[in-house]
Amino acid sequence: MPDGMSSSEIRELFFDYFTERGHDKVESAPLIPRDDPTLLFTSAGMVPFKPYYVDENPPFKRAVSVQRCLRLSDLDEVGHTPYHATFFEMLGNFSFGDYFKEEAIEWGWEFLTEVIGLPADRLWVTVHRDDTAAADIWRTRIKFPVERIVPFGDKHNFWGPAGDSGPCGPCSEIHLDMGAEVGCGRADCDPGCDCDRFFEIGNLVFPQFLQHADGTREPLERPGIDTGMGFERLASVVQGAASIHETDTGLPVLDAVRDEAEAASGRRPPAGKPGTELVVIADHVRAATFAIAENILPSNEAQGYVVRRLIRRAVRRGLVLGIEEPFLYRLSGVVAETMGGAHPHLAPKREHIALVVKSEEEGFHETLTQGSAMFEEMIASSSRGARTRGVVSGEDAFSLYDTYGFPLDLTEEMATERGFTVDREGFRAAMEEQRERGRSASSSRGARTLGVGAWEGRRAQSVFVGHELPCACGEGSECETAETLLSGPVATVVSEARRTGDDGDGVEFTLTESPFYAESGGQVADTGTLTVGDVALDVVNVLTRDERCAHVARDPRRVVSPGARALARVDVARRRLIEKNHTATHLLQAALRGELGDHVHQSGSWVGPDRLRFDFTHFSDLSEREIAAIEERVNAWLRADVPVTSESMNLEAALERGAMALFGEKYSSEVRVICIGCGESEMSLELCGGTHVERTGEIGAFAIVGESSVAAGVRRIEAVTGRTASSRARQNADLVRELVNVLKAAPDELVAKARELASETSKLRKAIEKERQKVAGGSIDSLIEGAREVAGVRMLSARTDAPNIKTLRGQADRLRGGLGSGAGLLGAVTEGGVILIAVVTDDLVKKGALKAGDIVREAAAVMGGRGGGKPHLAQAGGGDPAKLDQALEEFYEIAGRLIGS
């Protein structure tokens, strides 16, 4: 066996071998496939090359790559086998209508045995039982022993397609015999066995069919080659590692997990074979690190949900190891450092990745804390027979999802650990019921709005001719207020919808040519008028429906009909305000990337005439200094008064030039590129179909009016431009003058004066709270004197006047300390609702006599509430405040019954 070869050496040898044989070296494609909706992630090395197998003129005939892949089909196997992972790299050599089986088999064999040095006598191969050509090549060209060539059917030896459709074909796998001692012991054990004896090294796929979405296949005109070798698998064999997670790129992460576990719990997981928890954490943090580096951020949808799920699974495995604080963000740095040589894009994003992961960890810890008590109550109730034994109901699972954000797979995972199942159908039914309620509410709210009827007339599309509207009201700032309409071409109404609205006066129609911008890309639609004959209709919206540009208007006289001639006029003053704000969003994104880093990408936007909103990827609040710097950078570009130009070009050419594209957006092959400052000092280059000013100076001024969080890892900036921004500056100046008069301080002393007042106010509030706690504590001391004895245990329940949970918790701590040995239940109707807190002293907890969680669950049920917690202290909330006194009185019966049970 070869020994001592590093992963970087294997990578280099692979590239060298195939480039010497005429293959173009192709860099790894992104983890999200481009223009392939059938796949969430790039799951195999051939995914980026799928179109080339049917392309008559692919950019190259031969290619070699080491592709980053993310695959979830083996998620549950990670940590249970030595060779499964979610994130991995695939060594691949490809042919697109060039060489075929003979070269693929010969080169694959030569690379593994002569270049890498794997022992030929320990290798086995499999072929498709119908692929006699491949079997003949192995026998005659390679002189491979017939007894180690094993034929199988489609299950083992037919690969593809990647997704629902695409190239596919028979394959020939190469396996390494790890020795009979690691296998099942059967005399007929071969590569088809499920034991660990035979370790797949590579798969030579022969794409000779094209599968369609309906499952039918047709022969490819130009058969090709798709050879895939698991990079980590090959490295583990070469390096003598026990698993793919213990190679020179995996072991540092595993050791870092051990360090974290030891620091948190004082116990270091032993060296040697890593446990399931260590492997799952190391694997998942590696996958999350690479995904986030490509701006795939945790969310509740699509690829983002996968990243969120991986992080959450790793956090829960960390809890098993005794790690109760965020730690994965530190491991992401280890991944970036270990893998950075081959993946240089990780280093500049290391801090950003850590911020994303830490934010997600913190959010999930909060979710777990809040939802675990409800989950435990559900499990306990099921165990007692109050619900179906051994099953978490769909209603309960949905309640966890709806209240605490527990996804179904997390509930299932936690339930499985307790020997329970989850009613998935019940969960789906509860989810659909909620959606139906939402649809009904939405329908009710929109009952009086203009609806969309079935389209009548022939199918047609409007041609947009409104990008270059000259200013109809002269030069200068008067354009902002002038009530001028700009005429477009005389157009023909080519189709209309059924008339809608309560009175039938609404109409939607399509024009042959239109100067109206239809709402898209975050930019609101134009408004204006449509004149038919001597009747002018107000156009109130323009939408894209079923690839049609639908103009929405009020038409009480019913003059709009297919074939009617119409004069379209855009409200140009309103359009100019929108253009200023749209161009400002481009400048804002450029400023954000300049100040915060290249990890910033647009996540959404809204551009109207009065303001703009821009959502972007970033994982911390913006400081006042950062906001000021971003605002000043944009305003400096406005003062520079540089040109804003547009150009149509091929999508690939635009991306190669560096144009920014919206993540997840589908673009046509021909795109419009907006460049700000081209030919001078380029400030922004973006794909955009919207409308813009001609020079940045037209915007006038830019002011940020708000910065906030809209989701994990997504921030929002709201801003204004032009006269609105100038007006805001005047309002701020007026506010400063007013504060000077009220606080009797100079402008540069206002902040210090405000802080002084805030500090004094805080001290007074603390003094009041301290006095309140003192009074509350005294009342508890007097109540303890009236404690009852039940089954030989001191017990007390009481209603207090606590205004909030903090005060009630302080009273509960006082009660627990004052009882000496006993149990108690306090309740209050606070500003946040009705709350119960149960306490049990340590001596009773150690004896197993009582648990506060059991007490509070039963007491809360009297009110219709829920709760849970630790054995010595637990709380509950919700339910009917009118039943609080009943719950407190029943405490004595509940506690008495639970003693020793």
Side-chain angles (χ1 to χ4, degrees):
M1 288 290 289
D3 187 28
M5 192 181 295
S6 69
S7 292
S8 60
E9 289 173 320
I10 296 172
R11 189 188 304 267
E12 186 176 349
L13 285 171
F14 184 73
F15 277 131
D16 289 346
Y17 180 85
F18 284 99
T19 54
E20 288 170 1
R21 285 155 182 78
H23 292 64
D24 281 74
K25 180 179 178 181
V26 180
E27 295 300 322
S28 175
L31 284 174
I32 296 183
R34 180 178 295 172
D35 298 327
D36 191 344
T38 68
L39 291 170
L40 269 181
F41 291 103
T42 299
S43 56
M46 64 82 65
V47 168
F49 303 112
K50 282 175 64 174
Y52 301 155
Y53 290 96
V54 295
D55 192 338
E56 292 185 2
N57 297 295
F60 30 68
K61 291 288 188 179
R62 301 179 178 186
V64 57
S65 71
V66 181
Q67 175 62 45
R68 299 186 295 272
C69 301
L70 206 159
R71 187 183 294 174
L72 298 179
S73 57
D74 299 323
L75 180 65
D76 293 332
E77 300 298 323
V78 175
H80 297 285
T81 75
Y83 46 82
H84 282 111
T86 54
F87 175 86
F88 57 94
E89 294 185 84
M90 188 70 76
L91 304 170
N93 59 283
F94 307 90
S95 165
F96 312 110
D98 189 14
Y99 64 85
F100 199 39
K101 296 179 183 181
E102 187 169 293
E103 294 91 337
I105 291 173
E106 288 184 357
W107 289 341
W109 177 253
E110 184 178 69
F111 175 74
L112 287 175
T113 58
E114 298 184 23
V115 178
I116 297 299
L118 297 186
D121 60 348
R122 287 178 54 187
L123 294 176
W124 290 56
V125 299
T126 67
V127 295
H128 195 279
R129 64 166 58 101
D130 297 331
D131 192 356
T132 56
D136 287 343
I137 293 169
W138 280 111
R139 283 194 304 268
T140 60
R141 301 283 298 182
I142 308 300
K143 308 299 183 183
F144 201 83
V146 175
E147 64 272 16
R148 299 211 305 271
I149 302 175
V150 187
F152 290 114
D154 285 1
K155 179 180 178 181
H156 286 284
N157 279 84
F158 193 95
W159 195 94
D164 295 334
S165 59
C168 57
C171 63
S172 180
E173 296 176 344
I174 302 174
H175 295 255
L176 179 69
D177 186 351
M178 305 301 289
E181 64 277 6
V182 300
C184 60
R186 289 183 11 236
D188 61 347
C189 183
D190 63 24
C193 185
D194 290 333
C195 73
D196 293 335
R197 176 174 174 178
F198 292 95
F199 190 63
E200 182 189 336
I201 299 296
N203 190 6
L204 313 179
V205 182
F206 313 122
Q208 57 193 70
F209 300 106
L210 179 65
Q211 179 168 309
H212 301 285
D214 61 3
T216 59
R217 293 173 184 160
E218 62 177 288
L220 276 174
E221 289 186 19
R222 293 171 296 280
I225 289 297
D226 158 25
T227 292
M229 296 184 188
F231 182 43
E232 293 82 1
R233 291 188 177 210
L234 184 57
S236 69
V237 170
V238 170
Q239 296 171 13
S243 74
I244 63 173
H245 303 284
E246 297 171 84
T247 65
D248 57 349
T249 59
L251 193 57
V253 186
L254 276 178
D255 285 340
V257 180
R258 289 188 174 99
D259 292 342
E260 292 287 348
E262 183 178 20
S265 67
R267 301 183 304 276
R268 184 175 183 82
K273 183 178 179 180
T276 301
E277 284 73 27
L278 266 71
V279 172
V280 169
I281 293 169
D283 171 84
H284 288 10
V285 77
R286 191 158 83 143
T289 297
F290 274 90
I292 295 167
E294 296 188 18
N295 204 40
I296 307 171
L297 303 177
S299 70
N300 287 329
E301 297 180 355
Q303 293 91 351
Y305 178 68
V306 172
V307 178
R308 170 161 287 169
R309 186 182 180 193
L310 290 172
I311 292 174
R312 289 182 167 188
R313 281 172 58 92
V315 168
R316 295 200 65 245
R317 295 312 189 282
L319 292 173
V320 175
L321 297 176
I323 309 173
E324 298 182 353
E325 299 293 332
F327 73 105
L328 296 176
Y329 71 97
R330 290 190 289 267
L331 298 182
S332 69
V334 179
V335 174
E337 184 176 344
T338 304
M339 306 286 289
H343 304 279
H345 69 291
L346 294 177
K349 297 188 175 182
R350 180 172 175 171
E351 183 178 350
H352 168 66
I353 295 168
L355 284 170
V356 172
V357 175
K358 186 177 183 182
S359 174
E360 187 66 18
E361 286 186 272
E362 290 171 339
F364 184 51
H365 274 291
E366 184 176 346
T367 295
L368 271 179
T369 300
Q370 293 174 339
S372 291
M374 178 185 277
F375 176 80
E376 292 299 330
E377 194 277 333
M378 293 171 180
I379 294 294
S381 180
S382 180
S383 299
R384 292 194 301 268
R387 294 177 171 89
T388 305
R389 285 186 180 274
V391 178
V392 175
S393 72
E395 182 180 338
D396 282 345
F398 180 74
S399 182
L400 278 169
Y401 168 80
D402 195 40
T403 306
Y404 297 112
F406 266 47
L408 179 61
D409 58 78
L410 173 61
T411 302
E412 288 182 317
E413 191 171 311
M414 292 174 67
T416 299
E417 292 169 358
R418 305 290 291 274
F420 281 65
T421 61
V422 177
D423 177 11
R424 293 181 67 92
E425 290 304 316
F427 176 87
R428 293 192 184 98
M431 176 75 83
E432 184 56 34
E433 185 178 333
Q434 186 190 64
R435 286 174 178 160
E436 186 59 39
R437 287 195 297 268
R439 282 192 289 265
S440 297
S442 175
S443 175
S444 175
R445 286 192 299 269
R448 297 186 61 82
T449 62
L450 292 180
V452 182
W455 285 94
E456 299 169 354
R458 63 188 179 87
R459 187 173 183 84
Q461 296 180 359
S462 289
V463 177
F464 179 57
V465 294
H467 267 133
E468 314 297 337
L469 294 184
C471 185
C473 50
E475 298 293 328
S477 61
E478 283 75 18
C479 282
E480 290 194 9
T481 56
E483 297 180 359
T484 305
L485 294 171
L486 182 74
S487 298
V490 175
T492 302
V493 178
V494 294
S495 64
E496 80 171 297
R498 283 204 304 261
R499 296 181 177 274
T500 56
D502 291 343
D503 51 9
D505 287 348
V507 66
E508 293 188 10
F509 53 89
T510 298
L511 301 175
T512 52
E513 293 182 312
S514 174
F516 291 98
Y517 183 83
E519 181 179 333
S520 64
Q523 179 176 330
V524 300
D526 283 330
T527 58
T529 64
L530 185 82
T531 302
V532 181
D534 60 350
V535 179
L537 311 177
D538 288 331
V539 178
V540 296
N541 204 355
V542 188
L543 306 168
T544 301
R545 298 197 191 279
D546 299 326
E547 300 181 358
R548 299 168 181 267
C549 187
H551 300 66
V552 183
R554 301 290 297 180
D555 183 23
R557 293 174 60 179
R558 306 195 174 200
V559 297
V560 174
S561 60
R565 301 287 288 171
L567 179 64
R569 292 189 174 98
V570 173
D571 184 341
V572 73
R574 180 176 178 274
R575 162 76 79 81
R576 294 301 179 224
L577 296 176
I578 296 170
E579 289 174 345
K580 292 180 180 184
N581 286 333
H582 199 158
T583 304
T585 62
H586 286 222
L587 292 172
L588 174 57
Q589 176 164 221
L592 285 165
R593 289 171 62 84
E595 289 294 328
L596 305 179
D598 290 342
H599 65 274
V600 170
H601 287 273
Q602 179 178 342
S603 292
S605 67
W606 184 88
V607 178
D610 56 339
R611 60 189 172 88
L612 66 92
R613 185 178 68 227
F614 187 78
D615 297 343
F616 60 98
T617 55
H618 190 61
F619 268 77
S620 61
D621 299 354
L622 268 61
S623 67
E624 290 298 325
R625 184 201 63 77
E626 288 172 328
I627 291 174
I630 292 162
E631 195 174 74
E632 173 52 31
R633 187 181 286 234
V634 174
N635 279 305
W637 288 334
L638 304 191
R639 292 191 294 270
D641 192 28
V642 299
V644 180
T645 57
S646 66
E647 180 182 355
S648 293
M649 63 177 68
N650 178 271
L651 174 61
E652 293 296 329
L655 295 177
E656 287 178 10
R657 186 174 160 185
M660 295 286 294
L662 185 60
F663 177 72
E665 186 78 8
K666 298 296 182 184
Y667 293 96
S668 61
S669 58
E670 195 74 12
V671 294
R672 185 167 180 261
V673 179
I674 300 296
C675 184
I676 304 178
C678 279
E680 300 180 20
S681 66
E682 185 175 291
M683 300 157 186
S684 171
L685 189 69
E686 290 193 36
L687 305 186
C688 181
T691 62
H692 291 269
V693 300
E694 293 184 356
R695 301 188 70 87
T696 58
E698 296 173 32
I699 299 173
F702 173 86
I704 294 174
V705 299
E707 192 274 337
S708 60
S709 170
V710 292
V714 180
R715 308 294 301 178
R716 170 172 292 171
I717 279 182
E718 295 179 84
V720 292
T721 63
R723 289 189 173 181
T724 306
S726 300
S727 175
R728 177 178 170 80
R730 287 193 298 271
Q731 291 171 1
N732 288 340
D734 292 342
L735 179 60
V736 169
R737 282 192 292 270
E738 188 174 351
L739 288 172
V740 165
N741 293 329
V742 172
L743 299 178
K744 307 301 180 186
D748 58 354
E749 297 172 348
L750 288 175
V751 173
K753 185 69 173 178
R755 285 175 177 161
E756 179 185 336
L757 290 173
S759 177
E760 290 177 4
T761 302
S762 178
K763 289 176 182 177
L764 288 171
R765 285 176 175 165
K766 288 178 179 178
I768 293 170
E769 182 61 27
K770 186 176 180 180
E771 187 63 26
R772 179 184 291 158
Q773 292 283 0
K774 182 178 178 181
V775 172
S779 66
I780 292 297
D781 291 341
S782 62
L783 286 171
I784 291 175
E785 297 175 2
R788 303 181 194 177
E789 187 170 311
V790 178
V793 176
R794 291 184 79 194
M795 297 189 185
L796 173 70
S797 71
R799 178 173 185 154
T800 80
D801 294 326
N804 51 52
I805 182 63
K806 182 179 178 181
T807 301
L808 188 62
R809 189 179 287 271
Q811 292 175 336
D813 288 338
R814 185 98 174 204
L815 172 60
R816 187 167 175 269
L819 282 171
S821 175
L825 181 69
L826 298 181
V829 179
T830 71
E831 55 202 21
V834 61
I835 297 175
L836 287 173
I837 296 184
V839 294
V840 176
T841 55
D842 289 340
D843 61 317
L844 297 179
V845 171
K846 290 177 181 177
K847 292 177 183 178
L850 276 175
K851 292 181 180 179
D854 294 339
I855 294 172
V856 86
R857 270 192 290 270
E858 292 205 28
V862 174
M863 303 185 301
R866 284 179 172 179
K870 298 179 179 179
H872 67 281
L873 187 145
Q875 72 180 55
D880 185 359
K883 294 183 178 180
L884 173 59
D885 292 334
Q886 180 185 344
L888 292 169
E889 182 57 36
E890 291 192 20
F891 157 74
Y892 297 102
E893 184 275 327
I894 293 169
R897 174 167 42 80
L898 289 173
I899 291 175
S901 62

